Amino acid sequence: MKVSMSVNGKQVSGDAEPRTLLVHFLRDTLGLTGTHVGCESSYCGACTISLDGKAVLSCTMLAAQADGADITTVEGLASNGELHPVQEGFWERHGLQCGFCTPGMIMSAVTLLEENPEPSEDEIRQGIEGNLCRCTGYHNIVRAIEYAGAKMRGEEPAPAEWENA
Amino acid sequence: MSSTSVLGGVVRRREDPALIQGRGRYTDDVKLAATAHVAFVRSPYAHAQVGSVDTSAAAAMEGVLAVYTAADTDHLGPLIAQVPVGALRPLLNSGTVKHVGEAVAMVVAEDPYVAKDAADAVEVDYDPLPAVVDLKHSLSDEVPVHEGASNTLISWVGPFGADEAALAELQQGIEAAKQRDDAVVVSQEMTNQRLIPVPIEPRSVMADYQAGYDRFDIYSSTQIPSALAGAIGKYFGMSMNQVTVKAMEVGGGFGCKLNVYNDEVLVAFASKHLGRPVKWTETRREAANSTIQGRGWVATATVTGTEDGEILGFELEGIADMGAYSQNFTVAIPFLGLFVGSGQYGFPTYWKMDCVTTHTMTTDAYRGAGRPEAAYYLERIIDMYARRIGMDPADVRRKNYISSSEFPGAVSPMGFPMDTGDYATNLDAALETAGWSDLLAERDAARAEGRYVGVGLATYVEVCGFGPSGLVDLGFSWAEYQMPSAFNGSSLVRVHPDGSATVSIGTGPSGQGHQTTWAQIVGDGLGLDVERIRVIHGDTEEAPPSIGTFGSRSAAVDGAACYEATGKVRAKAARIAAHMLEASEEDIEFADGGAHVAGAPDSSVSWGEIAACAYQPHRLPEGLEGGLEAHAIFSPGNATWPFGTHIAVVEVDPDTGDVDLLRYIGMDDCGNVISPMIVDGQIHGGIAQGIGQAMFEDAVYDADGNLLSGSLVDYILPTASDLPSFELDRTVTPTDVNPLGVKGIGEAGTIGSAHTVVNAVVDALEPLGVTHIDMPLRPRRVWQAIQDARA
Ligand code: FES
Ligand code: FES
């Protein structure tokens, strides 16, 4: 069957079997391999994308269910060569090591900050509870999201811990 | 926070721009035309005789290219193990399967969905047999895992190198101490449970056999590309130069991606057989039941000491679970524990671990690999002893440390020379940072209010960054994979004619930031901006022979090789620059992208100009060869021995057994630090995995050998809301075994943390009389311990 949707601001369409998962459609049909598969069973969050403004797990949806949807993946976050503040935060605050959880983590953080522009540390931690990271112990992911939040509010982010000598 | 880098300055990671924009390339992202896809048929039984394997229905399905069974692949032989003690894994098994998840058949199809359907359509008859899962049961040899063989593969006894007479004398000495009037003997059996490594990226491999050239390109999420290349060469009768292995981005490894796996060999086999690229990516369930697991010890730790805190002897006796087959290092993992069996202490230590097989997946190196287990037993029992004699746990430790005055030249009671150490300074720094006496006072105040707050402390020493090269003679080479040594670093630094540089290196990082760190080392040595330096790693075609990333070795061993190769390039460039500037070689300094005469910054040449000269031999000084590159193999004089002190504060809800981790303080010492940012990140992740073991994670097999925690629903990983922000600082005791003075840091966090948390929880429950709870400290187990103590 044919499915069409808007992905990262572009109208796209492609063939999908009725059982094709959305994440496979994005990765294999559209070649957008930034969205990762960590478990295919809705527990790790690596496949998180934004669909009609909400963070959703693209491994728990069929491509067919996304017909007509408006999707943003991690590839679509930066605009005109400018990183999204959340991407910048992850870079500036060492919010990633292996980077495998990162696209999903960033997508969740974007939604989190859209819904709550000034989250406390606890709110950040709860907001990314559905995204597992095995590398960072979440410490610098929290710092990265704090950095992004400050930037998005037009404030000066707190200095990096390693600059605090 | 000490932010001093030996190289000066923090550099944002160079690998990040691709990764934060979804443009990193992991193995499963590679697309080659006409790629076929694999699914495996795996045993649902822990121990069973395989009867018929009927592949006809699967083979007849549309889109299925081949269905392979053991009959097709047995000629290749079993899976190569680096320490081949015990039975080796058949690539596919049509005889007696030995664990749930063992591969019986392999399906290759045009499409991954079709491959899975076809795997379901393969009909296998199994005749189930009794399984051995319990370690004590295995030790009894009542049910052999492998017919006709003892379940005990090897027993590691320490101190290392002690003969029977020396061991007997040691044991008699400890026995005599137990008879002293003032002797306090504390003993506890404890489980250090099995864990599943769970990198978030599942393992993935793609093989592309090119018949026209008779060569393989293999893409794999491996930590050791060269080992896989060597193995593939052996299996298919090819030279090392006919096989290229590329590990691109690797999404976490933690040791489980340093094995060569049967699936990698099988995918290569299928590619060669079918003449097209073949790819397989494991499912999360396969990651649980057919990628190696870690830990899995049951042991009794005993401390004998005096009433005033002098420890007279430590004994550890136990059993370690090897699973069904030996893979890469399997039986050697407890031996790594033996290395640090006496920790940073000087007391006599007797240590014995029996390595037994069970009908479960193989165990092997998981972050820390033997050292977290060894540290756990030691640090738990010392804590129990401190409690028994009513002494501050920090004071007991300090009293028994190997003194800093014994370095250099200290030899641990286990018989190993140690590089550098200053344990008391590190402990005191941790106590100061944490505000130790205030913490204890706050705990006591909380207790007075009826709250169950606990403070836990533990210290550790680890051993990593292995050399010296001579360890090869103990059997720890990489020879089975055609690599002569596992103990050298190797790096090639090349300056291109335009003055940019490339570092080629055999490390296989999975998040450690080598793109950044190697460029920093080379850039610092050449006075060249890191932006002008490209790092190529994880690619056997580009890298000089080397052995990947594991055992917290990369910075101390391969980083040192980068440093030395850079030194060689700089020395040659200095001769060229001196010639060009008509100055003396000794006066040449490198900075700002070129060389200048000391004290005369205007008398300078850029790296581009030096390189242009280097590639025109007629312009070079007499006797100098053309070109501007150097290779260095670095062989360290010893392993490195990082150490540290961790402190945790917890509160336990006595009604639910819920443990709330309130604070976590780490004071680690990994010698000099190249990037404080990356080092702290490694510690964060390591601590999180140790806390994961302490509080959540458990690879549970039932008595029949079924894996009950094969998905992320039942194998519980810490989430962001389970953990606090970590409070880190460091002491700096440089090593003398490499020119950078750096020790390893990849595993330290894990080695220091699990017991710290358990010590804290037991401290919280001290008023109830709880003395020990086995990990993981999930609410139910903690609640039960509280009920038992109250009963
Ligand atoms: S891949 Fe979708 S939640 Fe893990
Ligand atoms: S950075 Fe590796 S899983 Fe999060």
Side-chain angles (χ1 to χ4, degrees):
Chain A
M1 60 186 292
K2 231 224 161 32
V3 289
S4 310
M5 57 191 83
S6 160
V7 179
N8 299 331
K10 272 198 231 114
Q11 204 55 40
V12 295
S13 60
D15 284 321
E17 282 188 54
R19 64 172 170 174
T20 303
L21 297 174
L22 177 57
V23 67
H24 291 150
F25 183 79
L26 292 170
R27 288 177 53 81
D28 300 333
T29 307
L30 302 182
L32 294 170
T33 54
T35 302
H36 293 157
V37 179
C39 71
E40 234 176 66
S41 51
S42 78
Y43 291 102
C44 76
C47 65
T48 307
I49 57 165
S50 161
L51 186 142
D52 295 333
K54 291 207 166 53
V56 304
L57 300 173
S58 60
C59 78
T60 53
M61 258 186 105
L62 298 171
Q65 290 172 300
D67 195 42
D70 186 1
I71 287 174
T72 306
T73 68
V74 69
E75 288 99 333
L77 272 187
S79 60
N80 303 323
E82 278 237 355
L83 294 177
H84 187 283
V86 173
Q87 291 172 310
E88 187 186 317
F90 273 69
W91 193 12
E92 291 288 342
R93 290 295 176 266
H94 191 29
L96 62 152
Q97 290 180 27
C98 80
F100 200 78
C101 72
T102 308
M105 199 65 89
I106 286 178
M107 295 311 294
S108 287
V110 167
T111 311
L112 164 72
L113 290 173
E114 275 165 8
E115 288 167 2
N116 179 1
E118 199 161 358
S120 66
E121 170 164 355
D122 279 351
E123 287 168 337
I124 291 175
R125 288 182 177 274
Q126 276 157 26
I128 56 168
E129 219 173 26
N131 293 77
L132 295 176
C133 175
R134 193 59 156 161
C135 297
T136 63
Y138 307 102
H139 180 104
N140 282 336
I141 291 178
V142 174
R143 300 291 91 79
I145 298 172
E146 286 168 350
Y147 175 103
K151 274 271 163 139
M152 290 164 79
R153 296 191 301 273
E155 297 164 13
E156 188 60 32
E161 288 170 355
W162 46 86
E163 287 161 8
N164 266 338
Chain B
M1 174 66 56
S2 159
S3 70
T4 331
S5 161
V6 268
L7 304 181
V10 168
V11 176
R12 284 188 305 183
R13 292 206 324 169
R14 309 171 74 214
E15 31 279 270
D16 291 357
L19 302 181
I20 55 180
Q21 298 186 80
R23 302 192 198 282
R25 292 183 82 216
Y26 299 81
T27 301
D28 194 46
D29 300 337
V30 184
K31 304 252 186 293
L32 294 179
T35 297
H37 298 267
V38 162
F40 287 100
V41 178
R42 297 186 182 276
S43 171
Y45 295 100
H47 192 196
Q49 182 66 46
V50 177
S52 65
V53 181
D54 183 353
T55 62
S56 55
M61 289 171 69
E62 194 182 322
V64 172
L65 299 164
V67 185
Y68 301 107
T69 65
D72 304 300
T73 57
D74 270 350
H75 69 279
L76 293 169
L79 183 63
I80 297 170
Q82 194 45 60
V83 186
V85 174
L88 302 183
R89 174 181 298 279
L91 296 179
L92 291 170
N93 194 347
S94 60
T96 310
V97 288
K98 307 286 189 192
H99 69 90
V100 166
E102 183 165 4
V104 174
M106 170 172 67
V107 174
V108 190
E110 297 284 358
D111 171 273
Y113 286 82
V114 174
K116 279 179 189 148
D117 288 346
D120 289 340
V122 173
E123 283 185 30
V124 186
D125 275 340
Y126 296 95
D127 190 3
L129 298 163
V132 194
V133 173
D134 181 75
L135 297 188
K136 290 176 187 168
H137 185 207
S138 170
L139 192 67
S140 75
D141 270 340
E142 203 180 302
V143 178
V145 173
H146 297 277
E147 207 50 58
S150 168
N151 292 340
T152 303
L153 298 180
I154 196 167
S155 297
W156 296 112
V157 182
F160 181 67
D163 60 16
E164 276 185 27
L167 289 172
E169 194 184 326
L170 170 71
Q171 287 182 287
Q172 281 158 15
I174 296 175
E175 276 315 309
K178 286 180 186 167
Q179 305 310 322
R180 278 171 53 156
D181 286 346
D182 61 346
V184 178
V185 182
V186 184
S187 191
Q188 178 72 46
E189 181 179 279
M190 297 178 254
T191 297
N192 196 283
Q193 81 274 25
R194 279 175 82 119
L195 301 177
I196 301 176
V198 200
I200 304 300
E201 180 205 28
R203 288 194 307 107
S204 181
V205 55
M206 164 137 85
D208 177 21
Y209 178 72
Q210 295 142 34
Y213 303 98
D214 189 21
R215 52 166 287 113
F216 267 116
D217 276 340
I218 311 246
Y219 305 81
S220 177
S221 56
T222 181
Q223 295 173 237
I224 314 190
S226 58
L228 180 56
I232 295 292
K234 256 171 109 169
Y235 278 109
F236 299 98
M238 296 162 81
S239 310
M240 292 173 104
N241 59 13
Q242 289 172 281
V243 182
T244 298
V245 173
K246 292 175 197 287
M248 301 179 303
E249 301 294 349
V250 177
F254 318 116
C256 81
K257 291 176 180 169
L258 72 78
N259 275 241
V260 169
Y261 282 94
N262 58 330
D263 41 67
E264 292 172 307
V265 181
L266 289 164
V267 162
F269 165 79
S271 175
K272 186 164 186 194
H273 190 250
L274 297 171
R276 53 193 283 186
V278 174
K279 180 183 192 175
W280 172 74
T281 300
E282 71 182 357
T283 63
R284 190 44 67 185
R285 187 161 292 276
E286 289 176 305
N289 70 22
S290 47
T291 284
I292 64 94
Q293 303 180 354
R295 320 272 192 263
W297 293 16
V298 173
T300 298
T302 307
V303 153
T304 303
T306 64
E307 277 153 10
D308 61 358
E310 187 193 348
I311 296 177
L312 305 168
F314 168 66
E315 299 154 279
L316 185 78
E317 289 190 67
I319 317 169
D321 194 347
M322 302 293 103
Y325 300 105
S326 289
Q327 287 199 182
N328 183 30
F329 263 172
T330 303
V331 298
I333 300 306
F335 180 67
L336 288 171
L338 184 151
F339 261 85
V340 291
S342 49
Q344 59 279 62
Y345 305 105
F347 43 69
T349 298
Y350 174 80
W351 209 90
K352 176 168 184 276
M353 289 298 293
D354 295 318
C355 301
V356 303
T357 49
T358 53
H359 288 114
T360 62
M361 180 56 201
T362 299
T363 61
D364 208 301
Y366 167 58
R367 201 169 196 168
R371 290 151 292 173
E373 297 92 315
Y376 179 78
Y377 287 98
L378 185 56
E379 290 297 308
R380 277 292 299 127
I381 202 71
I382 288 183
D383 228 56
M384 292 175 73
Y385 164 71
R387 202 173 297 287
R388 179 79 65 84
I389 61 173
M391 195 162 157
D392 185 310
D395 292 338
V396 172
R397 287 174 169 89
R398 191 185 296 101
K399 185 164 182 145
N400 291 283
Y401 279 155
I402 295 172
S403 153
S404 60
S405 65
E406 290 182 45
F407 293 95
V411 176
S412 78
M414 300 310 283
F416 298 99
M418 305 167 91
D419 60 346
T420 55
D422 186 353
Y423 308 131
T425 299
N426 176 269
L427 173 66
D428 290 338
L431 297 180
E432 159 115 31
T433 296
W436 181 248
S437 44
D438 291 347
L439 275 186
L440 298 185
E442 286 163 26
R443 173 199 67 189
D444 293 343
R447 270 185 194 168
E449 291 169 19
R451 290 164 57 204
Y452 292 89
V453 171
V455 180
L457 172 142
T459 67
Y460 71 89
V461 68
E462 79 158 306
V463 57
C464 64
F466 274 101
S469 190
L471 279 174
V472 164
D473 302 334
L474 296 180
F476 289 99
S477 71
W478 219 260
E480 296 289 333
Y481 302 129
Q482 307 204 60
M483 293 300 298
S485 170
F487 302 110
N488 306 323
S490 181
S491 166
L492 180 76
V493 174
R494 170 177 297 152
V495 179
H496 301 279
D498 67 351
S500 65
T502 296
V503 191
S504 307
I505 192 162
T507 59
S510 47
Q512 296 87 340
H514 291 183
Q515 288 283 340
T516 307
T517 304
W518 306 155
Q520 275 184 278
I521 293 173
V522 175
D524 186 72
L526 300 185
L528 192 60
D529 194 284
V530 292
E531 296 306 323
R532 298 275 285 158
I533 300 166
R534 176 169 180 229
V535 174
I536 301 176
H537 55 51
D539 184 330
T540 60
E541 189 149 67
E542 302 280 354
S546 182
I547 56 153
T549 292
F550 59 94
S552 305
R553 70 186 302 281
S554 289
V557 185
D558 286 286
C562 273
Y563 178 87
E564 303 232 305
T566 303
K568 291 188 192 180
V569 169
R570 188 181 52 220
K572 182 167 182 181
R575 281 190 68 186
I576 300 171
H579 185 67
M580 293 171 82
L581 296 168
E582 296 177 354
S584 140
E585 209 179 308
E586 291 72 49
D587 292 338
I588 298 296
E589 288 178 356
F590 290 91
D592 304 328
H596 63 267
V597 180
D602 289 345
S603 181
S604 67
V605 279
S606 71
W607 271 102
E609 288 164 325
I610 298 170
C613 183
Y615 290 103
Q616 300 174 69
H618 68 279
R619 291 181 55 201
L620 289 174
E622 249 323 278
L624 205 57
E625 276 179 35
L628 196 49
E629 64 182 67
H631 177 216
I633 288 196
F634 177 75
S635 179
N638 189 0
T640 66
W641 301 72
F643 51 92
T645 304
H646 287 196
I647 293 169
V649 185
V650 300
E651 176 156 8
V652 180
D653 181 335
D655 298 327
T656 62
D658 245 335
V659 175
D660 196 1
L661 188 51
L662 302 173
R663 283 184 71 191
Y664 197 96
I665 297 114
M667 180 67 66
D668 295 273
D669 191 324
C670 61
N672 286 337
V673 167
I674 298 168
S675 168
M677 174 186 89
I678 287 176
V679 163
D680 287 353
Q682 288 294 310
I683 299 170
H684 292 150
I687 291 172
Q689 286 182 11
I691 294 172
Q693 174 166 26
M695 295 178 60
F696 306 104
E697 301 177 36
D698 199 358
V700 185
Y701 283 92
D702 70 12
D704 296 326
N706 297 303
L707 179 58
L708 303 182
S709 52
S711 79
L712 294 178
V713 193
D714 6 68
Y715 191 83
I716 304 169
L717 296 180
T719 69
S721 26
D722 294 320
L723 302 176
S725 284
F726 306 120
E727 303 164 52
L728 302 188
D729 208 335
R730 62 176 61 88
T731 57
V732 177
T733 309
T735 183
D736 54 6
V737 306
N738 66 59
L740 293 166
V742 300
K743 302 187 179 188
I745 197 60
E747 298 164 289
T750 312
I751 296 169
S753 47
H755 24 281
T756 301
V757 173
V758 177
N759 286 348
V761 173
V762 171
D763 185 57
L765 299 178
E766 183 184 22
L768 295 170
V770 172
T771 55
H772 177 68
I773 313 175
D774 269 331
M775 303 183 289
L777 304 181
R778 291 200 207 141
R780 203 193 149 77
R781 194 171 280 186
V782 175
W783 180 85
Q784 191 60 53
I786 295 168
Q787 303 313 307
D788 294 348
R790 281 178 172 162

